[in-house]
Each structure stands twice: as C-alpha cells, then as structure tokens.
Amino acid sequence: MARMIWRLAPWISLISLALAWEAVARSGAVTPFMLPRLSVVLVRIWNDALSGDLPQSLALTLYRSLTGFALAAAAGIPLGILIARNRVVHWFFDPIVSVGFPMPKIAFLPIVVLWFGFFDISKILMVVLDAIFPIVTATVVGTLGVEREILWSARNMGASERQMLREIVLPAALPEIMTGLQVALPIALIVCIVAEMKMGGIGLGGTMMTASRFADSPGVFAGIVEIAVAGWFIVKLMAMLRRRLLLWH
C-alpha cells in the first residue's frame, strides 16, 4: 500500500488541480466563457480527436518543433565542441553565443516572415534559432569539463584527435550535452506554438488562435490541455533516452 501511494503521489497535485477546476467552473463564480468546465473541455478534445482535427494539428506541431530541434542539435553539438577545442572558432563564435543566448529570439519573427513567408520553413527556423543556444552552451561546458590529465594521457599514448574526440571527449561531455538537449526540447515546442499563433495556419497554436477569434472558450482551453500533454510526453521520452544513454552515469 505504501509503495502504491508513493507511485500515485506525483499525480495528486494534478488530480487536485483538475478537481478544483471543475468545482470552480460549476460553482457559478465565473462564467462558462471565462472558465469552461473541465468535463466540457475533455469532451471537446475527444470530439476533435474523432473528427481528425486534433491528430492533424498535433502532428504538424510536433513535426515543426522536432524538426527544428533535430537541426539545432545537429548543428549545435559540433559547433559547441569546436568552440571548446579550437581557438579560432572560439574567437569568432563565443561573442555571438554570449550576445544571442539571453536575447529573446522571437524578435526575429517579423524578419523571418519577411524573408520566408508564413510557411513551415519559417516556423522551423524560429525553433532552430531558439533551441540551438542552450545546446551549444551545454556542449561547450561539457567539453571543457573533460579532465586534461585524461587527454594528455591519451595523446601521449598516440591517440589521434579523432580517437580522442570519439572515445574520450564525447562520452565525458555527454551528460552535459543531454542536459542541454533536455532544456532545448521544451523550448522548441514553446517557440513552435508561439510561431503558429503569430503566423496562423494548421497546428495547435493556430487552432487556439482560431478558437479565440470565434470566442470559442472550450476550444482555447482544449488547446492548453493538448499542449500540456504533448509537452509532458516528449519530455518524458527525452528523460527515458537520457537514462538509456547514460546508464554508466
């Protein structure tokens, strides 16, 4: 019984929040427009799933966010290693990363729209711009954190730069790199949702804005629940991948 209670403990707060939502909505303290009942929102999600609107919007949002995240990882990890291990690359890119990391990259949205229009490439590019900075920074920190004595020993034993990178640097820096990826993944989803809200079109963000324009309160709250569930799911998948790759850590 104690083990079962501990397994259910993380869900107690969410269940309490759901019950409080339903109770406040039924109490009459607020209008259904301001806060629709959770049961009504869940019925709306079910109907959207049966009609095919939800799978289509969810698939497009995940496609844009995960594609941008994958591109950011593919570019950010090698760039971070080069910044940490090459003086010329560090000299050139370190100021860019230092200035770009704290800057809200959503400010580039009007420029991206002017250059690329309201197509998927604009939304994916915005995801890449936001997600790449935590990946680069975490990779730099992880690479610089490799003990120099290990590198010196490997170099004295005749290891090439490629061997050192593959067998020493990457495994040692992988925990920090995975941390950067875990930070960048929800950022990718958030930026994709914001870009869809601003640019419109099919997607969870665009569907929420359409519901808002037509004063469809259950549709707006349904989008919030859908985004929360999708974000929780992909974050859990990343945590599972981290545990699988870092069994030794």
Side-chain angles (χ1 to χ4, degrees), residues 47-113:
N47 292 333
D48 289 344
L50 292 180
S51 66
D53 293 338
L54 175 57
Q56 183 183 25
S57 298
L58 180 60
L60 283 172
T61 298
L62 291 179
Y63 158 71
R64 293 161 183 157
S65 57
L66 294 180
T67 300
F69 171 76
L71 293 174
I77 294 175
L79 180 58
I81 293 174
L82 287 174
I83 291 175
R85 295 182 59 81
N86 188 287
R87 290 184 179 181
V88 176
V89 177
H90 181 275
W91 169 82
F92 184 82
F93 282 101
D94 185 66
I96 298 176
V97 174
S98 300
V99 173
F101 197 172
M103 178 183 179
K105 271 71 70 178
I106 197 67
F108 289 100
L109 182 60
I111 299 174
V112 172
V113 171

Side-chain angles (χ1 to χ4, degrees), residues 20 26 30 40 47 49-50 53 77 84 107 115 118-119 130 132 135 137 169 177 184 193 195 197 234 248:
R26 288 178 177 272
V30 293
V40 174
N47 292 333
L50 292 180
D53 293 338
I77 294 175
W115 287 358
F118 293 92
F119 304 104
D130 269 272
I132 195 171
I135 297 175
T137 304
V169 175
I177 294 174
I193 295 294
M197 287 181 174
I234 62 175
W248 52 271

Side-chain angles (χ1 to χ4, degrees), residues 168-181:
I168 298 176
V169 175
L170 277 178
L174 190 57
E176 290 289 345
I177 294 174
M178 291 300 302
T179 300
L181 293 175

Side-chain angles (χ1 to χ4, degrees), residues 130-155:
D130 269 272
I132 195 171
F133 284 94
I135 297 175
V136 170
T137 304
T139 304
V140 170
V141 172
T143 304
L144 292 177
V146 180
E147 296 182 11
R148 294 186 177 182
E149 291 79 7
I150 299 177
L151 298 177
W152 292 339
S153 300
R155 189 174 290 112

